[in-house]
Amino acid sequence: MTNEKEQENVLKAYTLLLYFSSSMIMHGPGDECISDFLTSGLLKRLPLSSSNPRFIHATSLLRSQDTSDKERCKKELNSDFNRLFAKNSLAPPYKSYYAKDDNKEKKRNREGVSGFYDSYGWQSHIRDTYNDDHLGTGLFFLNRLIEYYMQLDDEACKREMRSEISRFINKHILSWVPQWQKDVKAQARTQFYKGIAELIYACTEDIATLPGDN
């Protein structure tokens, strides 16, 4: 990145991808997703590129999803969503699920991420609907941190916020998402959801190592 404006544009592109990805693991693919992101070809022209091999592979998986039959595609994706992320799912998108098999440890993981949200005074309808340790909740909060960052003018404050973004990602996302992504890869029947899981991993990995962090 050659200047601040370019970095801001890159961050906006990442927030768009995270918003899309988090929606896919929280709500599943609705009609709007199928028409706007799949059959219209938007996934074939993503808003940014990355040299991260994980990102490259994720976009390859997403673009290989067969969308020639809209109804069949929707049915397959919804079926995969329910198998992977709904009740009694094969790859629960919860940090507490991937903690040690100890109730105190699981409780501490939930409280830890809740404390991070509360320290920023983050109130959202998402927290009323999904657990605080749900990956989708964490990704929406991450987008909010990035928005805070882009609104700052003081370089010292921006440096501190970059550090906070990296700290949140490393402590509450990358500490367990790699194993979750492996589970999705092993259990998913569609290329789309394999790609979504890897895209989340790659995007958070990229954001945590943006120039200027720490």
Side-chain angles (χ1 to χ4, degrees), residues 49-106:
S49 59
S50 169
S51 60
N52 184 341
R54 220 181 309 279
F55 186 96
I56 295 170
H57 186 242
T59 57
S60 174
L61 289 170
L62 290 170
R63 289 164 176 160
S64 66
Q65 176 66 39
D66 182 6
T67 60
S68 57
D69 185 327
K70 179 179 175 180
E71 289 304 315
R72 179 168 60 85
C73 178
K74 179 182 175 181
K75 182 177 180 180
E76 290 176 351
L77 296 186
N78 276 303
S79 175
D80 225 11
F81 170 81
N82 289 325
R83 290 177 64 256
L84 294 167
F85 311 126
K87 188 176 181 180
N88 300 320
S89 56
L90 298 172
Y94 296 95
K95 181 181 178 183
S96 55
Y97 179 83
Y98 290 90
K100 296 177 182 178
D101 293 329
D102 177 83
N103 289 333
K104 290 183 179 179
E105 178 72 16
K106 290 183 179 182

Side-chain angles (χ1 to χ4, degrees), residues 61 65 76-77 79-81 83-85 90-91 180-197:
L61 289 170
Q65 176 66 39
E76 290 176 351
L77 296 186
S79 175
D80 225 11
F81 170 81
R83 290 177 64 256
L84 294 167
F85 311 126
L90 298 172
W180 171 79
Q181 184 263 328
K182 287 182 181 178
D183 288 350
V184 175
K185 181 180 179 181
Q187 300 292 343
R189 291 174 177 169
T190 61
Q191 298 292 79
F192 178 79
Y193 270 112
K194 291 179 183 180
I196 286 292

